Amino acid sequence: MTLNDFARRWIGVGAILMLLGVILGAFGAHLLAARLAPKALASYQTGVLYHLLHALGLIAIGLIGQAGAVSRPLRAAAAAMAFGLACFSGTIYLLTAGAPRSLAMLAPVGGLSFMIAWALVAAHAFGGARRS
C-alpha cells in the first residue's frame, strides 16, 4: 500500500514524536528521578504521557486520512495536535530544565489546542469528511 502525502506526513511525524517521547520518558525514569522533587517529576511524567498520547493521535489522524477523504477539519486537527504537543509537553520539559516560571502560561494553550484537535477529529468523523 502506498501512503498518500497527508498520511505519510502525519504518520511519520507521529512516529518520530513517539520515538522522542520514549527517549524522554526513559531519560526521566533513569536520570531525572533521583534529581527532581516528586512534584516536578510528576509534572515531567505528565508531559511525557500527553506527548506519547498525542503522538499516537497524530498517527491515528494520518491513518484516518489514508482511509478516506482528507477534510479541512482533519488537516486542522493535525496542526492543532502538533502545536498542542509542542506547547503543552514542550513547556513542561522546559520548566523541568529550569526555564522561567512565566513560560508556564503556554501549557494551557497547548491543552486547549489538544481539545480543539480532538473536536476537529470528531467534526471530520461526523460530517466534515468531504474532500477539501
Side-chain angles (χ1 to χ4, degrees):
M1 173 202 301
T2 302
L3 295 176
N4 65 41
D5 290 341
F6 180 86
R8 184 179 310 104
R9 176 182 313 114
W10 292 111
I11 293 170
V13 167
I16 290 167
L17 288 169
M18 284 296 297
L19 171 63
L20 182 60
V22 171
I23 291 168
L24 290 169
F27 176 74
H30 298 291
L31 296 175
L32 294 180
R35 294 186 174 123
L36 292 178
K39 186 175 179 182
L41 183 61
S43 179
Y44 183 86
Q45 291 169 334
T46 298
V48 171
L49 174 63
Y50 276 73
H51 178 142
L52 292 170
L53 289 172
H54 290 88
L56 282 175
L58 286 171
I59 292 170
I61 287 172
L63 293 172
I64 293 166
Q66 178 66 26
V70 178
S71 66
R72 282 191 179 126
L74 195 62
R75 289 180 194 282
M81 198 167 290
F83 179 77
L85 200 155
C87 285
F88 185 83
S89 295
T91 296
I92 291 173
Y93 299 147
L94 291 172
L95 290 171
T96 302
R101 292 290 311 157
S102 60
L103 192 64
M105 66 184 174
L106 286 178
V109 173
L112 180 60
S113 187
F114 287 151
M115 292 178 224
I116 291 168
W118 288 113
L120 288 165
V121 171
H124 170 83
F126 291 124
R130 293 173 297 279
R131 184 171 290 279
S132 53

